[in-house]
Structures are given as C-alpha cells and as structure tokens.
C-alpha cells in the first residue's frame, strides 16, 4: 500500500483545503519528511491518516457514535463559515491481484440541525463504491493494516517504548506477527475449540446410556417372550393337527361302524320331532275338518236339495212381490191415466187391466209350482241369512272328502318316516362300540376346542407383545439418536483436544522460520544502530519470541558455582539466561541442568569458561533501550514483510546524537517503502536533515500562523529556508 | 229362548267312547251325529230319548253354522221350524239319534273319519 495524497480541509489547525503529495517516484527515496514545531499540526496529519483509513475504529469506536463525533476537531476558524464542509481525503494505491488500484477515501463532516454528521465516500479508480464494496474495502484495509496494531503503523517515539517494554514483550511480538502473518486464525480456532471443549465436556451420557440399556433389555425380553409364544402357538398348532388327524380317523371308523355324529344325531332327533309335529298338525286339521266341514260334506245331497229349495223360495218371493204390485187396479189406473179415454173405453180398460195383470202373473209364474197355492216356503230366510247360507254352501262346494284322503296319506308317510328315523336311532344308541367311538370323537373335539381356546389366548398375548415391541422401536431409535449425539459430543471433545494439540504443534513449526528471520533481522539492525559493540555478542530468540541479548564472558567454574549456590538453579537461569545453562551443559557434556548443578557442587576446578551471560534490558540506558526497541520494531516489520506505509512521530525522543545518526541513515531508509516522518526542527536538525536528504521524496513544513490561527504549509523543510 | 240341551245317556256314552279313540270332542261328534241323522230316514217327532247325558251349549254345538243346521233340519223335515222347536227339541233328537248311528259306524269301520266321509274301503 502506498499513500499518494492527503488533503485536509477545515480539520484541526488546518483551514480550507491543504494537500500533501506523498507520491513516490524514486524507489530509493522512501521518506516523506514533514517538519513542524510544537502545535503546528503534525499530530493532526497523524490523526488524519488514521481517521481516513479506519474511520471510527481509529478512535476505538465500533460505529459512528456521538462520542466519536465529539472527538472530530473541526477547525475553529471555519465554524463561522456559512457552508462549512470539513473533510479528510486520502488517496492510496493498493496492489490488487493483477492491478494497482487507486482508492480515494473521503470522510466528510457537516453540521445538520446542530449535529455533526459524517459521510464517507470511497472511489476506486474514480468510481464510487457501493455499500457492499465499501464494507469489502474496509475489511481489506483491516486485513492489511490490522487496527490492533495501530501503534506499530503509527510510531510515536514517546509511546512505542510502552508497546515493547511493558507487559509480556514476547507475547506482544508473537501476537503482532500472528496478526500480520494471518496466523491469528489459529488463535480464533483455538478459542472456539476451547469454548466447545468447555461446553461439551459437561455433557453426561450416563442417563442416555442407562436408558438405552434398559430399553435394549426390554426389547430383548419382549423378543424372547414373542419367540416363546410363537413356539408355543406352533406346538399347539401341531397338537391340534395331530388331534384333528386322530379325530378324523376315529370319525371314519365311527362312520364305517354306522355311527352318527352328534350333529347328525341331533338332526335325526329334530327330524323326528318335526315329523311328530307335522302329524299333530295334520290331526288338528282333520279334527277341525271333521268339526266344520265334514258334516256338510256328508249331507251333500240334502244341501243340494236345500239350495234348490232356497232358489225356489227366492223366486216365489219375487213372484209374490211383482204380482202384488202389478195387480189389475194398477194396470187400470195406468190405462186411465195414459189413454185419457172417453167413456166408451172405460169399460174396455177395466177388462184390459185384468187381462194384463193375469198375463203378467202367468208369464212370471214359478216353473216349479203348477198351482201357486201348493207351494209353501220351508225356510223363509231373511235376506242377510240367505246371503250367509248361500256363501256357506258355495264354500262347502269347494271342499271335497278327498282332502281327508291326502291328509291321511301325509300322516301315513310321516309315520313311515318316523319309523325309519327311530330305527336309525335305535341302531346308534344300542351299539356299544359306536358309543365308545362317539365318546372318543367327543373327547377329541373337546381337547381340540380347549387347545384352540388356549391358542386364541396366546395369540392375543402375542399380539399385545408385538404391539409393545413395535411401540418400543421408535423409542429405542430416539434413544439411540440422542445417545449418538451425546457420544458424538464426547468424541467432539477429544477431536477438539486433538485439533488443539495439532495446532499447538503446528504453530511453532510455522513460526520457526519466522523466529530465525526475526533473530537475523534483529541482530543485523541492532548492530547497525548500536554504537557500542560490546553491549551484546549474540541475540537469542526463543520459539515464543522471547528476545534475550547475551554477552560472552570468561567465568571460572568457581565463580559459576558461587553464583549457582547463591541463586539456586532457577535464579541462575533468570539472571544468567537459559542459553547460559545450555552452553554450560554442552561444554561440560551434561544432559540436564540438575546434572550441571550436581557436577558444579563437586567440581573444584579453576578453569575459565567462555559462556553467554544474559544482558538485562532494564539495566541499559533509556537511549539504548530505545535502540533495542527500534531494532525489535524494525525486525518485526521485516518479518511481517508487508508493504505498508509507516508514520513516525517524534522519532528521536531519547536518542543521543551518535545513535540518531545511525537511525537516520540505517533505520528510516530501510524500514519500509514509504515512511512518513513527522519531526520538529530539533529532532531532525540540519545535520540529520543532510544525512536524510538522499532518501527524502517529499518534504513539508507546517507553520502555525498566530495571526490567522491556522496552519500554513510550505513544500520544503525548515533548513532549506535558512540555507 | 233355550240355549242348552242335555243329550241322552246313550249319546254321552257313545261320544265318550268315540272321543277317547279319535280325539274328537263332543261338539264335533254332535255335528257329525246331526249329519248322519240327516242322511237317515227317521221321524224326529216320534223319537224318544232321555236327558241323562252331556250338557251341551247351542253356541258350542252349531256356532256360526246354526242357521245352516236349522235349514238342513227344516229341509230334512220338509217344513218350517220355529226357533223353540229347532233348539233344543229337534237338535237333541237328531244328536241322540245320530249318536247311535255314529257309534255303529265307529264300531264297524276301520277308519272312523274315512268311513264317515264314505271313503272307507279304498286303498287307504
């Protein structure tokens, strides 16, 4: 990444738009030097770059909040302007896959309804990014220059010491390297693994195990019961088959012997009863016939006479009625009325009427009575009775004595049937062998019946058990699933632990080349910067980036023994360094520090040994410490191997003249492809300016105008003016 | 109006004997006795009998066929009968006379009913 341009407008001490061109044309000139006395606006530039790149993150806010906006320092002079726009615009070059893209990041602040608001615009090769692209870009920037490492990119001479001296330095270096090299992913994995382990390790599978076992036991018991029942039913089926065979054989013998089955016997008896009932009905009919019909059939000639007599009587009755009505006087009156005769006809009409009446009487006279006075009605029935008698006679005529014959015939047949049935019955009941066979058949039938009942009972039980077993299956399945889950979780723990182990083994291997590079880089720059060559003879960097300086010294074994006896083995290691013990062991051909301790106790040699003695950093002067820190910083950046611009403020805080020279010529030109140095005129003074001049790409001087109360920039460094 | 009659002792004995063998009740036998009497030539008015036998009810004997029996008896006699003559006088005469004839039929025939119906001697 390269910063090309920075424009600050109405921000901090800058009024109106002020641009700084940071573009680099000559790859040997990597330094942008910005000079300024105290309060001239150096820190504003420092802040502006930070803000442009990271926005609210630069101040440690997760989003644009009021507290964040409160920290935005709008230029005081500008506040009186009508259309106030305050912004920072940073133009950077980013190496993308096959292309170098120019990004223009603009953060703009405006007052709206008495509230300050921020508007961010990002252009990629003059094309504005969409919201998604902005997010992507911001993430990319965070990846290239992680916000956790602000203090590294924005080197503040006053504060950088704290980063490397306070707390666990090796841890900080390791973490920084991890982040810069993207090894921090492993840390995230480790954290997640640890969290999972803690979460999962609490799961207890014993409840599921015991439930599963009990369900399995239940299932096995049921299965066994079902098997037993099935076998039992099968054996009963066999028994039934055997008995059925026996029964059919006995039955055959029984039939061959002329025996009757109970069913046939009962049918026979039923037939007998039916025959008797039939005969009874027939006898009833016969009695009824004898009572109601037979007497009339017996006197059928008399009935015929009666019918004839009744006809005669009826005819006679009608004759009587008609002749009574159609008498001579009726005819006379009719003639008189109808003919309206004169007197001559009157006499004739009377005799005519008599003749007519006599004629009628003659014509309708009953044929059975020559003399009408000879006929005397015997019965003289009323019309109703006559009607009934006639109806009865009709009924009688429909009957015949032959009906008795057929009835008697039916009775005779029935009696024959009965005799036949009785004979069969007598044969069965009277035969002992047949009775025994019948009893056997009956006993077999009973046995079969009992077995069938037992089988039914067992089948019902079997069905119940099968239903139970079926119900158990899904339950077991559920249990297995939950048990599997629990077991999986358990195996997850071991998996997590193994993964942790692998990562723990992997990281040192990944870091091993980095450690070597770090040590080499450190040793190189340390020697370049440090004027005192006797300060350290070697540097030892452990796999955890624990940096220890060692100075080789000649020490007699006695001396060493005295120190060891005073400090003990642990104290010895703390004061003289682990490398010292390792070298001692190596020289005396020993394996462990304990062996060393024992050997030294018994050894009374005055031999001198050249051994590395740990140099205590805290015993160094502040300036030397600063050099040490800068060497650490430089080597860290070299190992990270990222082309990132570095902004350095107050670089020479505690450095003496001699060392400043080294830093100016060795440190800045080699630190990065772009180093922006913010310096006062006393720090990079004329002398160092001259030394630095060959590496300077662009230079500016900030000058605070008391009159206008703003910063004025000039494109040159202090001393060119004076020069 | 009299609705009851008492048969002769002889009638009662006949009926008892026949009834035991054939299962026919006195009222049925009475009807058969009337019928068999109607088939014979006998002078009911000169017929003498006693009243030491069965006590029979008019309704039981002739029942719904009362008018018919009256007609038949009138026809047999050849003259009209007043109610009081018909029952019990004529009816009793016919029963008591008929019972003797019936008893004869019963004694000398193989099958009583078939005999009465005039079918005796057939293949049965």
């Amino acid at each position: 990444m390269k910063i090309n341009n920075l424009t600050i407008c109405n921000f901090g001490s800058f009024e109106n738009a002020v641009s700084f061109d940071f573009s680099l044309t000559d790859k040997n000139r990597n330094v942008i030097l910005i000079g300024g006395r105290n309060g001239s606006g150096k820190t504003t530039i420092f802040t502006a770059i930070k803000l442009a790149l990271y926005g609210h993150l630069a101040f440690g806010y997760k989003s644009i909040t009021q507290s964040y906006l409160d920290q935005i320092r709008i230029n005081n002079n500008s506040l009186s302007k009508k259309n106030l726009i305050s912004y920072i615009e940073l133009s950077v070059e980013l190496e993308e896959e096959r292309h170098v893209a120019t990004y223009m990041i603009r953060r703009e602040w405006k007052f709206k309804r008495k509230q300050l608001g921020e508007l961010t615009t990002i252009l990629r090769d003059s094309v504005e990014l969409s919201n998604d692209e902005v997010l992507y870009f911001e993430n990319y920037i965070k990846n290239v220059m992680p916000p956790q490492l602000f203090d590294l990119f924005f080197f503040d001479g006053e504060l950088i010491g704290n980063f490397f001296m306070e707390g666990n330095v090796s841890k900080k270096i390791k973490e920084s390297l991890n982040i810069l090299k993207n090894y921090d992913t492993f840390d995230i994995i480790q954290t997640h693994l640890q969290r999972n382990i803690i979460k999962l390790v609490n799961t207890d599978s014993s409840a599921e195990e015991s439930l599963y076992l009990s369900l399995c036991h239940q299932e096995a018991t049921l299965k066994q019961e079902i098997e037993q029942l099935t076998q039992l039913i099968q054996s009963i089926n066999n028994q039934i088959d055997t008995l059925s065979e026996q029964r059919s054989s006995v039955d055959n013998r029984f039939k061959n012997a002329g025996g009757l089955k109970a069913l046939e016997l009962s049918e026979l008896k039923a037939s007998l009863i039916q025959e008797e009932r039939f005969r009874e009905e027939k006898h009833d009919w016969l009695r009824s016939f004898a009572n109601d019909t037979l007497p009339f059939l017996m006197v059928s000639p008399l009935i015929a006479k009666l019918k004839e007599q009744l006809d005669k009587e009826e005819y006679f009755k009608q004759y009587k009625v008609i002749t009574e009505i159609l008498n001579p006087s009726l005819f006379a009156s009719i003639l008189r009325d109808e003919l309206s005769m004169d007197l001559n006809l009157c006499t004739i009409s009377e005799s005519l009427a008599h003749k007519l009446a006599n004629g009628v009487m003659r014509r309708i006279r009953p044929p059975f009575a020559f003399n009408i006075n000879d006929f005397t009605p015997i019965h003289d029935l009323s019309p109703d009775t006559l009607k009934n008698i006639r109806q009865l006679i009709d009924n009688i005529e429909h009957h015949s004595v032959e009906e008795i014959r057929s009835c008697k015939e039916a009775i005779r047949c029935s009696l024959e049937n009965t005799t036949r049935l009785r004979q069969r019955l007598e044969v069965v009941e009277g035969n002992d062998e047949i009775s025994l066979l019948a009893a056997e058949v009956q006993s077999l039938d009973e046995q079969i019946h009992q077995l069938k009942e037992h089988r039914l009972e067992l089948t019902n039980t079997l069905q119940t058990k099968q239903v139970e077993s079926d119900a158990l299956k899904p339950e077991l399945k559920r249990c297995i699933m939950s048990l599997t889950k629990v077991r999986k979780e358990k195996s997850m723990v071991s998996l997590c632990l193994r993964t942790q182990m692998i990562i723990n083994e992997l990281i040192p291997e990944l870091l091993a080349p980095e450690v070597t590079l770090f040590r080499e880089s450190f040793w190189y720059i340390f020697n370049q910067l440090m004027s005192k060559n006797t300060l350290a003879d070697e540097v030892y960097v452990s796999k955890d980036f624990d940096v220890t300086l060692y100075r080789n010294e000649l020490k007699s074994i006695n001396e060493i023994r005295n120190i060891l006896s005073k400090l003990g083995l642990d104290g010895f290691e703390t004061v003289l360094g682990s490398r010292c013990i390792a070298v001692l062991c190596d020289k005396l051909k020993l394996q462990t520090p304990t062996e060393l301790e024992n050997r030294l106790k018994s050894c009374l040699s005055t031999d001198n040994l050249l051994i590395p003695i740990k140099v205590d950093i805290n015993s160094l002067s502040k300036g030397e410490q600063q050099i040490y820190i800068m060497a650490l910083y430089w080597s860290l950046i070299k190992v990270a191997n990222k082309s990132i611009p570095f902004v350095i403020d107050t670089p020479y805080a505690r450095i003496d003249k001699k060392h400043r020279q080294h830093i100016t010529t060795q440190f800045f030109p080699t630190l990065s492809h772009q180093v922006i140095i913010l310096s006062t005129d006393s720090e990079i003074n004329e002398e160092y300016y001259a030394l630095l001049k060959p590496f300077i790409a662009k230079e500016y001087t900030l000058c605070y105008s008391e009159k206008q109360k703003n910063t004025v920039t000039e494109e040159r460094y202090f001393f060119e003016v004076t020069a | 109006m009299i609705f009851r009659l008492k048969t002769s002792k002889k009638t009662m004995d006949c009926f008892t004997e026949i009834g035991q063998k054939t299962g026919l009740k006195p009222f049925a036998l009475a009807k058969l006795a009337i019928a068999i009497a109607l088939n014979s030539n006998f002078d009911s008015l000169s017929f003498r009998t006693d009243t030491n036998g069965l006590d029979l009810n008019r309704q039981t004997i002739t029942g719904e066929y009362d008018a018919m029996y009256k007609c038949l008896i009138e026809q047999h006699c050849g003259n009209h009968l007043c109610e009081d003559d018909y029952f019990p006088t004529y009816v009793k005469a016919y029963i008591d006379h008929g019972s003797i004839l019936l008893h004869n039929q019963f004694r000398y025939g193989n099958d009583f009913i078939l005999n009465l119906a005039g079918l005796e001697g057939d293949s049965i």
Side-chain angles (χ1 to χ4, degrees):
Chain A
M1 191 170 88
K2 227 184 269 178
I3 299 174
N4 281 341
N5 195 290
L6 173 71
T7 306
I8 304 174
C9 178
N10 298 328
F11 182 78
S13 57
F14 293 89
E15 191 180 352
N16 297 324
V18 180
S19 284
F20 297 93
D21 182 10
F22 293 160
S23 61
L24 305 169
T25 44
D26 185 347
K27 69 172 184 178
N28 293 320
R29 291 171 179 266
N30 66 330
V31 177
I32 315 285
L33 183 62
I34 301 170
R37 295 189 177 88
N38 292 341
S40 60
K42 290 198 304 294
T43 310
T44 304
I45 291 177
F46 198 80
T47 311
I49 298 171
K50 237 174 153 178
L51 260 181
L53 284 170
Y54 299 108
H56 47 85
L57 277 178
F59 293 156
Y61 295 98
K62 283 186 177 172
S63 61
I64 300 172
T65 59
Q66 193 53 49
S67 313
Y68 159 68
L69 291 168
D70 286 347
Q71 296 206 26
I72 303 293
R73 295 272 165 253
I74 306 294
N75 182 257
N76 286 341
N77 296 349
S78 314
L79 287 172
S80 58
K81 288 176 188 168
K82 198 180 174 188
N83 291 318
L84 167 70
I85 300 175
S86 170
Y87 67 87
I88 294 163
E89 213 173 77
L90 189 74
S91 173
V92 295
E93 266 180 26
L94 273 177
E95 282 170 22
E96 293 181 344
E97 282 175 7
R98 293 177 192 172
H99 173 73
V100 177
T102 309
Y103 284 88
M104 203 280 289
I105 310 158
R106 182 188 166 101
R107 297 197 195 263
E108 189 180 301
W109 297 279
K110 266 188 196 172
F111 281 97
K112 224 179 203 178
R113 293 174 196 158
K114 297 174 186 171
Q115 289 282 320
L116 195 66
E118 185 180 293
L119 178 74
T120 307
T121 321
I122 299 169
L123 303 177
R124 180 183 179 275
D125 294 335
S126 309
V127 181
E128 192 176 339
L129 299 182
S130 67
N131 284 346
D132 286 352
E133 287 169 327
V134 167
L135 278 175
Y136 177 77
F137 173 79
E138 282 176 348
N139 281 332
Y140 183 69
I141 286 288
K142 278 184 226 164
N143 196 32
V144 175
M145 297 174 74
Q148 300 98 306
L149 301 178
F150 273 154
D151 293 342
L152 282 181
F153 312 127
F154 298 89
F155 180 106
D156 186 334
E158 301 283 349
L159 301 172
I160 196 79
N162 302 342
F163 182 83
F164 283 101
M165 294 299 283
E166 287 173 6
N168 192 342
V169 184
S170 60
K171 198 184 166 202
K172 274 188 182 166
I173 295 170
K174 196 178 171 184
E175 275 176 4
S176 305
L177 257 181
N178 278 342
I179 294 166
L180 286 168
K181 289 290 231 180
N182 290 335
Y183 293 158
D184 56 332
T185 315
F186 292 115
D187 284 343
I188 294 165
I189 293 172
Q190 288 275 33
T191 314
H192 278 278
L193 289 174
Q194 192 58 36
R195 200 176 296 160
N196 271 333
I197 290 165
I198 291 165
K199 196 174 83 183
L200 297 175
V201 91
N202 292 328
T203 51
D204 182 16
S205 62
S206 60
E208 277 80 5
E209 296 267 6
S210 61
L211 180 64
Y212 173 71
L213 286 176
S214 98
L215 283 176
C216 278
H217 178 69
Q218 271 185 48
E219 199 198 24
T221 316
L222 273 174
K223 204 174 165 184
Q224 203 183 344
E225 281 175 356
I226 286 170
E227 257 174 36
Q228 281 173 355
L229 280 169
T230 316
Q231 278 175 6
L232 206 55
I233 287 170
Q234 187 54 47
S235 102
I236 286 171
N237 279 338
N238 291 341
Q239 283 181 50
I240 288 172
D241 285 348
T242 317
L243 285 174
S244 297
E245 270 172 32
Q246 270 184 42
R247 191 197 171 283
S248 91
S249 124
V250 174
D251 199 33
N252 276 338
R253 275 163 59 206
F254 176 69
K255 274 183 185 164
N256 290 340
L260 288 173
K261 281 188 266 181
L263 183 66
E264 281 178 286
L265 202 67
S266 69
E267 276 173 4
L268 199 62
K269 283 177 178 167
S271 302
L272 267 173
I273 291 165
Q274 207 178 339
E275 289 295 341
E276 272 161 20
R277 201 171 290 153
F278 175 76
R279 283 203 306 279
E280 189 61 38
E281 277 171 19
K282 285 290 166 194
H283 281 297
D284 277 348
W285 179 87
L286 207 57
R287 275 192 287 273
S288 162
F289 192 79
N291 183 34
D292 295 334
T293 318
L294 185 60
F296 299 124
L297 292 177
M298 282 165 68
V299 294
S300 47
L302 191 65
I303 284 176
K305 271 189 189 168
L306 173 65
K307 200 178 167 189
E308 197 185 331
Q309 178 65 24
L310 288 175
D311 288 344
K312 281 177 181 172
E313 283 187 18
E314 203 175 359
Y315 198 102
F316 180 73
K317 233 181 210 169
Q318 284 169 355
Y319 169 79
K320 277 285 198 190
V321 170
I322 291 166
T323 51
E324 269 171 23
I325 295 165
L326 299 177
N327 56 20
S329 60
L330 179 75
F331 284 111
S333 69
I334 290 166
L335 285 168
R336 215 173 27 246
D337 293 348
E338 297 300 316
L339 296 171
S340 59
M341 294 171 290
D342 50 30
L343 286 170
N344 292 335
L345 288 172
C346 277
T347 46
I348 302 167
S349 69
E350 204 159 310
S351 71
L352 193 62
H354 272 282
K355 280 181 180 172
L356 279 169
N358 285 335
V360 167
M361 281 207 294
R362 262 199 312 280
R363 294 282 169 85
I364 65 163
R365 191 174 61 197
F368 47 81
F370 183 73
N371 186 356
I372 201 73
N373 295 326
D374 290 347
F375 186 78
T376 318
I378 304 168
H379 308 297
D380 197 19
L381 298 172
S382 69
D384 279 351
T385 315
L386 181 65
K387 195 182 161 194
N388 287 340
I389 296 285
R390 279 191 186 283
Q391 206 168 353
L392 185 59
I393 291 167
D394 275 352
N395 281 343
I396 290 160
E397 279 173 348
H398 278 103
H399 285 291
S400 157
V401 284
E402 291 301 322
E403 286 176 55
I404 299 170
R405 196 199 290 277
S406 62
C407 176
K408 286 276 178 186
E409 178 68 19
I411 288 169
R412 191 183 63 80
C413 289
S414 170
L415 274 169
E416 277 178 10
N417 279 341
T418 307
T419 313
R420 212 168 37 246
L421 292 170
R422 283 241 165 77
Q423 279 169 352
R424 282 188 74 188
L425 261 178
E426 274 166 16
V427 169
V428 176
E429 284 167 355
N431 192 323
D432 280 351
E433 194 193 352
I434 289 171
S435 307
L436 280 173
L437 287 172
E440 203 175 334
V441 169
Q442 200 178 348
S443 134
L444 284 169
D445 277 346
E446 269 172 24
Q447 282 179 45
I448 290 170
H449 179 68
Q450 274 177 6
L451 282 171
K452 277 182 179 171
E453 275 192 348
H454 189 43
R455 183 175 65 181
L456 186 70
E457 212 173 286
L458 289 173
T459 314
N460 285 341
T461 319
L462 182 68
Q463 276 175 355
T464 320
K465 294 282 174 196
Q466 263 162 355
V467 167
E468 273 178 43
S469 165
D470 287 348
L472 204 61
K473 271 173 191 162
E475 207 178 324
L476 194 62
K477 206 173 165 188
R478 271 201 298 279
C479 184
I480 286 172
M481 275 167 76
S482 81
L483 186 62
T484 313
K485 196 181 155 212
V486 170
R487 281 183 177 168
K488 255 187 201 165
E489 281 174 357
K490 275 201 154 181
S491 72
M492 280 275 281
V493 173
S494 68
L495 201 66
C496 287
L497 286 169
R498 274 173 62 193
T499 316
Q500 265 192 333
M501 228 162 68
I502 290 167
I503 290 174
N504 286 338
E505 282 171 14
L506 182 70
I507 289 175
E509 273 189 41
L510 282 171
L511 288 177
E514 318 287 345
V515 170
T516 313
L517 186 61
F518 188 85
R519 195 183 63 78
E520 285 167 0
S521 305
F522 178 84
W523 193 235
Y524 166 75
I525 199 72
F526 187 76
N527 284 325
Q528 293 290 320
L529 299 179
M530 193 58 81
S531 57
K532 202 196 282 178
N533 282 334
T534 53
L535 187 66
D537 292 308
E538 63 174 315
V539 64
Y540 181 75
V541 182
S542 75
K543 61 182 168 58
D544 287 326
F545 289 90
D546 198 357
V547 183
T548 323
L549 292 172
Y550 287 96
R551 191 166 47 223
N552 292 331
E553 281 180 25
L554 266 177
K555 293 246 182 223
S556 69
I557 289 177
N558 275 343
E559 276 179 294
I560 297 164
R561 190 178 49 232
N562 287 341
I563 296 168
L564 190 63
S565 64
K566 275 187 191 118
L567 299 173
L569 196 59
D570 289 344
F572 188 86
E573 192 178 348
T574 314
V575 174
L576 299 183
S578 54
R579 177 106 185 106
C580 176
I581 289 179
V583 169
L584 271 173
C585 286
D586 196 38
K587 289 202 170 182
L588 295 171
K589 293 184 179 100
L590 298 168
Q591 298 294 321
T592 59
T594 326
E595 279 180 33
L596 176 74
E597 197 177 9
N598 293 334
R599 171 69 70 86
L600 284 175
K601 270 182 193 169
S602 59
C603 182
L604 287 165
S605 165
T606 51
D607 291 353
N608 285 334
L609 291 172
L610 186 67
I611 50 165
I613 304 290
K614 184 179 164 185
V615 179
D616 185 11
I617 299 297
N618 293 315
S619 68
L620 300 180
S621 72
K622 291 287 175 192
E624 282 168 337
Q625 278 181 11
Q626 178 85 7
I627 301 289
Y628 170 77
I629 287 160
M630 285 180 113
L632 286 177
Y633 179 73
W634 191 87
S635 38
L636 182 62
I637 287 158
K638 288 295 155 195
V639 173
N641 192 26
K642 286 209 170 183
S643 60
I644 302 168
F646 287 88
V647 185
I648 297 177
D649 192 9
T650 341
Y652 297 148
R654 296 188 198 90
I655 313 290
D656 61 17
K657 192 178 166 186
K658 197 177 179 185
H659 286 113
R660 284 187 181 191
Q661 197 179 336
H662 290 155
I663 288 166
T664 311
T665 55
Q666 303 296 326
F667 186 77
F668 295 138
T670 54
L671 184 62
S672 167
H673 68 287
Q674 191 174 36
V675 181
I676 299 163
I677 302 170
L678 301 160
S679 163
T680 59
D681 57 349
S682 67
E683 279 197 284
I684 295 186
N685 57 20
E686 225 165 328
E687 187 189 346
Y688 305 122
Y689 175 68
L691 288 170
L692 198 61
K693 184 68 181 168
F695 308 105
I696 294 173
K698 292 273 158 52
E699 51 192 18
Y700 292 94
T701 306
L702 308 177
C703 191
Y704 188 74
S705 162
E706 289 292 338
K707 193 177 159 191
Q708 292 174 342
K709 298 205 184 302
N710 64 10
T711 298
V712 183
T713 59
E714 287 178 62
E715 279 192 47
R716 59 187 176 80
Y717 199 61
F718 296 107
F719 310 110
E720 273 192 354
V721 186
T722 54
Chain B
M1 298 277 270
I2 298 163
F3 291 104
R4 307 173 73 87
L5 61 80
K6 287 205 86 170
T7 67
S8 65
K9 170 89 172 50
K10 173 90 177 155
T11 300
M12 184 175 73
D13 294 341
C14 289
F15 282 6
T16 308
E17 189 186 339
I18 301 166
Q20 278 171 353
K21 292 280 166 63
T22 61
L24 289 169
K25 298 287 175 215
F27 58 84
L29 291 170
K31 282 194 196 81
L32 290 170
I34 292 169
I36 207 165
L38 284 171
N39 273 346
S40 69
N41 284 319
F42 95 104
D43 184 1
S44 51
L45 289 174
S46 60
F47 183 75
R48 293 288 167 259
T49 180
D50 62 282
T51 55
N52 299 324
L54 292 164
D55 187 2
L56 293 172
N57 192 321
R58 180 172 174 175
Q59 186 59 33
T60 319
I61 308 162
T62 55
E64 56 180 315
Y65 306 120
D66 190 59
M68 185 65 176
Y69 279 101
K70 187 168 181 266
C71 284
L72 286 171
I73 289 168
E74 280 173 339
Q75 193 66 36
H76 189 251
C77 299
N79 60 292
H80 183 69
L81 297 174
C82 69
E83 276 295 310
D84 290 341
D85 282 342
Y86 165 67
F87 201 93
T89 319
Y90 275 80
V91 172
K92 177 180 157 58
Y94 274 82
I95 290 172
D96 283 345
H97 177 64
S99 67
I100 297 159
L101 300 175
L102 205 61
H103 190 235
N104 288 337
Q105 287 280 7
F106 175 71
R107 276 195 300 175
Y108 303 116
N110 284 331
D111 188 299
F112 181 62
I113 302 282
L114 278 177
N115 206 0
L116 288 179
L119 299 169
E120 184 72 43
D122 286 357
S123 58
I124 295 169

